[in-house]
């Protein structure tokens, strides 16, 4: 199968859903999680229950967030993100389901209501009790200058970056939206996911079992390659720039 085959599949689709993983953002210089040299090989994850229970772990989590040690934010969208944004703008893509927390789909001008974030977003924070949104810039000065661990301005509850940590329940609304979009599509396109993290990785198989065509673009093989209608082991930016070229 070739890039032209993928372009034809997209052109023939009545309803396309794009599913993105870390591989689309590594081309922007954002490290992935599990590969050698990835985030978790350099620092251990802070589990949700430890963040809630232990002030020292909360402090460590905020130090990572404000110093950028994890490297999840502050990068620019790449050619792959821009190609996906073009598909959305042209009405060819109904939704973007992402495992990423880097906000790069929104930064490439995909409307926020078209992006379904399964693992949250590292570019802002939220209260764990009332859900109040807090911008990181508003919290950073107090932490770096006075060592103040953020608390919610609305209810006084614990504030955490709006990512889904290990041990934290998956967000119900995004999961439900992702399932609905998966079941409604007739083409499910995976870009840059190893498809090993569940429950998120279950959506491609759900789409396939519901009658949709499944296409996977990833540099390395995945466990679902054998189920796919098209597999390209290639660079995402190059593939998508050819499949969805800029006018």
């Amino acid at each position: 199968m070739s890039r032209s085959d993928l372009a034809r599949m997209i052109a023939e689709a009545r309803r396309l859903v794009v599913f993105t993983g870390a591989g689309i953002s590594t081309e922007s210089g954002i490290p992935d999680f599990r590969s050698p040299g990835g985030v978790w090989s350099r620092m251990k994850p802070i589990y949700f229950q430890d963040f809630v229970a232990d002030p020292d772990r909360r402090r460590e989590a905020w130090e990572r967030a404000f110093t950028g040690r994890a490297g999840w934010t502050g990068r620019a969208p790449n050619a792959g993100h821009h190609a996906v944004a073009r598909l959305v703008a042209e009405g060819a893509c109904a939704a973007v389901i992402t495992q990423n927390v880097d906000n790069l789909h929104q930064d490439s001008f995909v409307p926020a209501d078209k992006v379904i974030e399964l693992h949250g977003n590292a570019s802002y924070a939220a209260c764990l009790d009332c859900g109040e949104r807090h911008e990181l810039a508003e919290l950073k000065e107090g932490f770096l200058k006075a060592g103040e661990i953020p608390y919610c301005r609305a209810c006084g509850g614990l504030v955490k970056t709006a990512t889904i940590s290990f041990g934290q329940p998956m967000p119900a609304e995004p999961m439900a939206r992702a399932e609905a979009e998966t079941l409604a599509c007739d083409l499910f396109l995976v870009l840059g996911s190893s498809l090993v993290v569940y429950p998120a990785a279950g959506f491609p198989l759900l789409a396939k079992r519901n009658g949709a065509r499944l296409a996977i673009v990833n540099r390395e093989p995945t466990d679902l390659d054998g189920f796919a209608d098209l597999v390209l082991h290639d660079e995402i930016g190059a593939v998508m720039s050819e499949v969805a070229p800029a006018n």
Side-chain angles (χ1 to χ4, degrees):
M1 304 293 278
S2 66
R3 296 178 184 181
S4 61
D5 293 315
L6 177 58
R8 184 167 55 253
M9 290 174 71
I10 292 172
E12 292 172 351
R14 289 179 292 101
R15 190 176 182 89
L16 164 68
V17 165
V18 171
F19 178 94
T20 63
I24 194 173
S25 293
T26 55
E27 295 176 23
S28 288
I30 292 179
D32 66 12
F33 294 87
R34 289 166 177 79
S35 66
V39 174
W40 300 141
S41 68
R42 294 184 286 106
M43 63 179 76
K44 292 183 178 180
I46 297 173
Y47 281 75
F48 180 69
Q49 57 267 32
D50 294 331
F51 179 93
V52 171
D54 187 345
D56 290 337
R57 301 314 303 275
R58 287 201 293 278
R59 186 172 300 280
E60 182 180 355
W62 283 112
E63 189 274 338
R64 292 180 184 183
F66 289 135
T67 61
R69 282 177 59 201
W72 292 334
T73 58
R75 302 287 182 161
N78 62 55
H81 295 104
H82 290 303
V84 171
R86 287 193 292 273
L87 290 173
V88 174
E90 294 164 2
C93 176
V96 179
I97 304 170
T98 186
Q99 297 173 286
N100 298 336
V101 300
D102 51 39
N103 206 64
L104 291 186
H105 287 301
Q106 294 92 324
D107 289 344
S108 64
F109 302 110
V110 176
D113 63 354
K114 295 287 188 180
V115 182
I116 302 172
E117 294 173 317
L118 299 180
H119 297 154
N121 190 307
S123 70
Y124 64 94
C127 176
L128 294 177
D129 291 333
C130 73
E132 176 82 2
R133 175 168 171 152
H134 296 255
E135 302 305 324
L136 294 183
E138 298 171 357
L139 306 175
K140 185 174 182 178
E141 184 175 359
F143 181 84
L144 294 182
K145 287 188 175 181
E148 298 172 354
I149 295 177
Y151 288 89
C152 181
R153 59 173 172 264
C155 74
L158 290 179
V159 173
K160 176 183 169 295
T161 57
T163 55
I164 304 302
S165 300
F166 285 98
Q168 187 173 1
M170 292 293 286
E173 182 182 2
M175 289 294 289
R177 288 181 60 207
E179 180 176 354
E181 290 290 351
T182 297
L183 293 173
C185 78
D186 65 342
L187 175 59
F188 194 98
L189 172 57
V190 176
L191 299 176
S193 176
S194 57
L195 301 177
V196 297
V197 179
Y198 285 83
F203 289 115
L205 197 55
L206 177 64
K208 179 65 177 175
R209 288 174 172 168
N210 195 51
R213 301 171 86 182
L214 174 61
I216 299 174
V217 183
N218 194 56
R219 281 180 291 276
E220 303 296 331
T222 78
D223 289 345
L224 296 188
D225 284 3
F227 294 94
D229 299 277
L230 177 145
V231 177
L232 296 176
H233 295 147
D234 205 340
E235 299 295 319
I236 294 161
V239 169
M240 295 307 297
S241 294
E242 184 174 324
V243 167
N247 294 328

